[in-house]
Every structure is written in C-alpha cells, then in structure tokens.
Amino acid sequence: MKVIWNNEIVDRSQVRIDPEDRGYQFGDGIYEVIRAYNGTFFCLEEHLDRFYSSASKIEMNVPYTPAELKHLVNRLLDETGIQTGNLYLQLTRGVSSPRNHMYPDAGVLPMLTGTMTAVDRDAAKMEAGIPTIVTDDIRWLKCDIKMISLLGNIMVKHEAHKHNAEEAILHRDGIVTECSSSNLAIVKNGEILTHPDGNLILPGITKLVWIRCAKALGYPVREVPFSLDDLYEAEEVFCSSTTIEVMPVSRIGDHVLFDKVPGKVTRALQNAYLEEIEQQCGLLTV
Ligand code: PDD
C-alpha cells in the first residue's frame, strides 16, 4: 500500500521512523482525518485549514504550502485507487536527539506521514444509532488542538467499550463538552444545542457542516454550554465526526432515546449532510 512519507509517496514497507522522533517519543504532533467519497475528498480546504491552525497553536511550522499538501494527498488518493475511505495525515515535530523536552531548533524538519484506508459508509448504523455512556472529561485544557497525544480520549473510549457502548459523552462538572472522538449535540424543546468552540472541544468540521444544514432547514441552533440534566431531558441526541457523519445516539447508559428510528431532526440533518457530500463528491450508492 502506498503512503505519504515527507514529500514523497512510497510503499509502506519503505517508511522508517526514528525512535527519537518527537511524535513517537512525546506525542508531539498534530493530525487530521479526512474522508473521501467517490475518489474525492470532502471538505479538504476546511481540514487543511485546521491542520495549519493546530500546527500554529503548538508553534510548529508546516514545511509545505497548502497547495503542496493538497497535491500530495490527492496523489495518494489516486495512487491507492481508494474511492470511499479515510485519510489519516500526521505531522510530528521531527527527530531531536538526545531526548529533550524543549522544542528543537528551527532547522529540525517536521515529519509528515499519511495513510488511506478504504471504509464504506455504514448506513445501517446511521439508522440504528449508537449506545453511549457518560463519563468525566479527563483531558487537558487545549482540546481545540487536533494533536496526536490522545491518551485521555482513548481511555474514555475504552471505558465506553467496557460498558458495551461505542462512544463516551464527556462532561466537566456537569457541563457536557463533546465525546471521545466526536462532537455532541442535543435537541431540546425544538432547539439544537451544542457546546461552543473554544479550548474545551475540537472545532469539528462535520459540526460546521451540519450547523450550516440546520440553519438552512430553519432549525434554531445555539452553541451554548448545556448540562447533564439537559442531556437526559433531550428529545434527540446525536454526535458527529468525519468518520461517522451525523450519528444518532440510541441510548446513554440505561437511558433509552429510541428503539428503532432516530428522531426527525437528526434524520433531517443526516439527509442534508448527505446532500452536502453529494454536491462535492458526486452521487453515492450507499
Ligand atoms: N475525530 N471531537 C473529537 C475529540 C474528535 O476526535 C473528533 C474527530 C471530532 C469531530 O471532528 P471532525 O468533524 O472534524 O471529524 C470532535 C477523528 C475523526 C479521529 O480522531 O479519528
């Protein structure tokens, strides 16, 4: 399988990672996950913008222009021949030896890697929804940076898995932030509520798109903090990310939201999101 390694596309077996790469040693790096449908990336500009924004928030220089990156990821998509799947793009601060917490000199080149994985849309799951749990948001206070140090996220995801759930809904002192790997929204009294961007959540690209869809459909959207009580009183709950799109939540612990069919606002947003995909990437068969 072909992968991106710095500014080249090489066979995966050719990639060499130095044990003192700071991504490997400190989790010092950033990433993006970008979905392709019908051989075309969806929201590529928005994802690349966030990639540069994450890099600048940790004072890391991206040694490529947006045009160069765009060219590279599109070449990878072509060369893998994948139609529908996920690009994982990562930039670490490069190799600094001997190990030293301090940022290395500007001369150290950040290391770029990128892989493509074929993943179909899971239409059945988007209809059935996913079970979730609620747990403490144990992460740090710069969750707006899409960084590769994800131990907090994976620990709460594992907690969900232990409870036969697929996603962990996170809260800080009773205020719902987001999920382990997605944003969260509720529908309460006909309004859609979701946590505002800032340092406590990742500014999701999928969230950006569904908010646009919701406004176009005439649903009131408020980006405000809301409580666990609001969550349990909600008519509908959904999470969103590049890989799961707009995903209904079917239950939160023992609290059942729906049995068979997700709520009508969630379904309307799923359909509108699908239209957005089809506008950019062409008609989908699944
Ligand atoms: N995760 N919040 C968190 C903590 C996330 O990890 C993600 C995405 C999102 C949604 O962001 P977007 O809509 O831009 O995908 C929100 C990706 C998919 C991942 O880490 O695999």
Side-chain angles (χ1 to χ4, degrees):
M1 178 63 86
K2 296 289 184 195
V3 300
I4 294 173
W5 185 34
N6 295 318
N7 58 352
E8 293 174 86
I9 303 224
V10 298
D11 199 76
R12 189 175 177 146
S13 60
Q14 288 174 262
V15 175
R16 281 178 295 111
I17 306 291
D18 192 293
E20 287 187 304
D21 184 283
R22 294 179 63 92
Y24 190 64
Q25 213 162 48
F26 291 110
D28 184 1
I30 54 143
Y31 77 103
E32 272 300 319
V33 177
I34 311 174
R35 194 110 167 91
Y37 301 94
N38 293 335
T40 301
F41 284 118
F42 179 61
C43 291
L44 181 57
E45 298 280 342
E46 291 85 343
H47 282 282
L48 290 184
D49 281 355
R50 190 174 60 187
F51 192 68
Y52 282 88
S53 153
S54 296
S56 92
K57 285 174 182 169
I58 62 165
E59 294 176 43
M60 194 165 78
N61 178 39
V62 182
Y64 307 98
T65 63
E68 284 167 341
L69 267 192
K70 224 181 275 177
H71 181 67
L72 204 54
V73 297
N74 277 318
R75 254 185 68 205
L76 179 70
L77 184 58
D78 277 356
E79 291 199 23
T80 57
I82 289 173
Q83 289 295 300
T84 295
N86 303 331
L87 167 70
Y88 177 80
L89 190 69
Q90 172 176 303
L91 188 72
T92 74
R93 209 184 294 271
V95 179
S96 66
S97 179
R99 179 177 179 272
N100 182 343
H101 287 63
M102 250 185 293
Y103 290 178
D105 293 340
V108 172
L109 200 66
M111 192 188 59
L112 183 72
T113 46
T115 50
M116 275 300 312
T117 311
V119 188
D120 285 336
R121 296 181 77 234
D122 194 341
K125 189 181 272 189
M126 286 187 217
E127 179 81 20
I130 55 168
T132 62
I133 58 157
V134 168
T135 188
D136 268 345
D137 195 338
I138 59 170
R139 302 170 304 161
W140 73 333
L141 293 172
K142 289 182 183 289
C143 297
D144 52 318
I145 303 172
K146 199 158 173 69
M147 51 139 196
I148 62 174
S149 331
L150 289 178
L151 202 48
N153 301 62
I154 62 179
M155 284 172 73
V156 290
K157 181 72 103 180
H158 181 62
E159 200 55 34
H161 181 69
K162 284 196 284 191
H163 290 87
N164 298 317
E166 289 198 31
E167 189 51 298
I169 298 175
L170 308 178
H171 74 94
R172 288 187 197 261
D173 298 325
I175 298 297
V176 176
T177 50
E178 57 176 343
C179 299
S180 69
S181 60
S182 57
N183 291 116
L184 189 89
I186 64 172
V187 182
K188 195 179 172 207
N189 302 326
E191 271 188 330
I192 306 174
L193 305 183
T194 191
H195 197 285
D197 287 346
N199 66 313
L200 298 183
I201 67 162
L202 186 81
I205 306 299
T206 318
K207 176 183 173 212
L208 198 79
V209 175
W210 71 247
I211 287 181
R212 195 161 68 215
C213 297
K215 288 183 176 163
L217 289 167
Y219 292 118
V221 181
R222 279 200 298 138
E223 293 182 76
V224 286
F226 62 88
S227 68
L228 283 174
D229 285 343
D230 293 321
L231 174 72
Y232 286 110
E233 287 163 9
E235 292 118 43
E236 299 178 35
V237 179
F238 64 89
C239 40
S240 67
S241 89
T242 296
T243 48
I244 58 175
E245 300 178 14
V246 174
M247 180 60 76
V249 169
S250 56
R251 68 175 170 82
I252 306 166
D254 294 334
H255 176 77
V256 176
L257 281 146
F258 69 90
D259 222 8
K260 286 208 171 63
V261 188
K264 75 172 186 359
V265 178
T266 308
R267 273 182 297 153
L269 293 181
Q270 287 180 308
N271 291 336
Y273 190 82
L274 180 60
E275 280 172 28
E276 290 269 341
I277 295 172
E278 294 190 324
Q279 266 169 29
Q280 284 186 37
C281 307
L283 290 187
L284 299 184
T285 47
V286 259

